[in-house]
Amino acid sequence: MARKNLIEISAPSPARAEPARVEAVLPRDNRPIAGFVPQERSAAPVGGITKTLGNITEKMERASELERQLAAGQTIVELDPGLIDASFVSDRLAIDAAELAQLVEQIREHGQQVPILVRPHPETKGRYQVAYGHRRLAATREIGTRVRAVVRDLTDGQLVVSQGQENSARTNLSYIERALFASRLEERSFGRDVIMAALGVDKAALSRMLIVIRQVPLDLVNAIGAAPDIGRRRWLELGERLEGADIEKIIAELSADDARKISSDERFHRALVLATKRTAAPKPAIAQTQVSGVPVMIKKTASGATFVFDGKTAPGFDQFVQERLKGLFQEFNKDRGA
């Protein structure tokens, strides 16, 4: 049975003055848990003891949480953010500056509540690689503090599944970011079963994601941005409308200074409008020539020629030429040696 140190507080009662006991259960040995170090009992004022008990309770709760995580195999350590590299496959277009600033303030005020997940770097000894928690890592780097992390030995497949599932549960990755993540995993030869597990989707949903990435060039996706409010249907619609559109022109317009000032959702809608507009094909230049003394106008284009007969000057000449076209064509082939 665990040994107990009893702290007695005198609490006078109208009936009888018996001391009220508050028991603080301390560890059996002297090893500190989560910053808790047993203190020698001293004759302190009631207010000081109350404050001490509050600190003990808080630290005991931290110890319980730590022990729970240790039992689950989640050893939490504090690492230098400079020793941690990003995942080998990106799942975001970019970290939103406003969201990052908000996260920085939250961590400054309340501390980092949720650890990130890392693995020992598979290629560089002494370094680590993130499975998930890129935003928390970026926030601690900006603050200049160490980052709380769980370190696990993970294969590449386990890392991307953990990365995808955590992001699906905790963060608001947009549809196009999820589709890009799927495409990048496919490019690295991960099987469809791993990709579906990472994204939590079925075969049909994964196929549509990959269709979008094939239809919408990466440069255009980057010009639009994450577009958090744009879902699968609209991205598929954009992909269909891009067929035959001037994609380079759309990218140029979305990359202009005025377009960068609007949200990525608005840039998507602008891209959809630009893809819908079809530039009218320029009318072919027509070269008009006349044969001296012959009442015929010849109009030439890149693909053919048109003979326009002057019916007023030489009525019936068009019919005369038409009746002799077959013979003229045979004579033409004969001269060419056909």
Side-chain angles (χ1 to χ4, degrees):
M1 184 174 178
R3 188 180 63 203
K4 300 180 181 179
N5 290 350
L6 303 183
I7 302 174
E8 295 187 356
I9 303 176
S10 296
S13 170
R16 57 179 181 177
E18 291 185 356
R21 291 194 307 182
V22 178
E23 295 186 355
V25 182
L26 304 181
R28 283 185 296 180
D29 52 29
N30 293 325
R31 290 177 299 172
I33 299 181
F36 170 70
V37 180
Q39 302 293 327
E40 295 295 333
R41 186 167 55 184
S42 61
V46 173
I49 294 177
T50 303
K51 183 177 180 181
T52 300
L53 287 174
N55 292 336
I56 291 174
T57 301
E58 179 183 352
K59 292 177 180 179
M60 291 290 287
E61 289 174 353
R62 288 169 51 197
S64 297
E65 174 63 15
L66 178 57
E67 287 171 354
R68 183 190 66 78
Q69 291 166 340
L70 289 171
Q74 297 184 2
T75 305
I76 300 176
V77 297
E78 292 188 347
L79 300 175
D80 178 355
L83 296 176
I84 304 175
D85 297 324
S87 168
F88 63 89
V89 56
S90 174
D91 54 21
R92 283 186 177 274
L93 287 170
I95 297 178
D96 183 87
E99 290 182 1
L100 179 59
Q102 184 178 14
L103 182 59
V104 166
E105 290 306 310
Q106 289 176 353
I107 292 178
R108 277 188 175 139
E109 184 174 354
H110 304 291
Q112 182 191 341
Q113 300 298 312
V114 181
I116 68 174
L117 176 63
V118 302
R119 70 172 178 178
H121 201 291
E123 299 174 358
T124 309
K125 187 176 181 180
R127 297 191 65 81
Y128 302 88
Q129 195 171 57
V130 178
Y132 58 73
H134 288 82
R135 293 190 304 166
R136 279 164 275 168
L137 177 61
T140 55
R141 279 177 176 158
E142 184 165 329
I143 296 171
T145 60
R146 297 173 75 84
V147 61
R148 299 176 70 240
V150 172
V151 182
R152 289 184 189 161
D153 287 320
L154 301 170
T155 65
D156 287 353
Q158 290 170 333
L159 184 143
V160 298
V161 170
S162 297
Q163 181 177 352
Q165 290 181 347
E166 174 72 6
N167 284 335
S168 295
R170 291 188 178 277
T171 60
N172 56 341
L173 287 182
S174 68
Y175 180 82
I176 196 62
E177 286 178 312
R178 286 165 55 80
L180 280 172
F181 186 47
S183 177
R184 288 163 179 161
L185 291 178
E186 186 182 55
E187 289 173 357
R188 289 180 171 269
S189 301
F190 284 98
R192 289 291 178 96
D193 55 338
V194 173
I195 302 174
M196 289 188 294
L199 292 168
V201 297
D202 57 21
K203 289 183 179 179
L206 177 58
S207 295
R208 287 191 289 266
M209 286 179 172
L210 297 177
I211 287 172
V212 168
I213 298 304
R214 285 193 290 268
Q215 289 180 327
V216 184
L218 180 59
D219 287 345
L220 179 55
V221 172
N222 286 327
I224 292 172
D229 292 336
I230 306 301
R232 169 186 56 81
R233 184 179 62 82
R234 301 310 301 273
W235 278 105
L236 284 170
E237 181 183 354
L238 175 61
E240 293 170 358
R241 293 190 185 187
L242 285 174
E243 186 175 354
D246 189 344
I247 297 177
E248 293 300 324
K249 182 178 179 181
I250 297 174
I251 294 173
E253 292 206 24
L254 296 181
S255 301
D257 291 341
D258 63 328
R260 302 314 300 175
K261 295 176 182 177
I262 62 178
S263 70
S264 59
D265 288 325
E266 292 173 304
R267 286 196 297 275
F268 174 89
H269 289 296
R270 183 176 291 189
L272 197 63
V273 171
L274 293 171
T276 305
K277 294 179 179 178
R278 290 288 186 271
T279 304
K283 293 183 179 180
I286 298 176
Q288 298 183 359
T289 61
Q290 286 181 314
V291 180
S292 179
V294 179
V296 178
M297 177 72 71
I298 305 172
K299 297 181 178 180
K300 291 185 177 182
T301 66
S303 58
T306 304
F307 289 74
V308 181
F309 295 85
D310 187 345
K312 291 184 179 180
T313 305
F317 182 54
D318 57 334
Q319 185 66 31
F320 175 83
V321 172
Q322 184 177 348
E323 292 171 355
R324 286 161 176 74
L325 280 178
K326 185 175 181 180
L328 290 171
F329 185 64
Q330 289 174 346
E331 184 180 347
F332 169 76
N333 283 333
K334 182 180 179 180
D335 292 341
R336 295 177 61 197

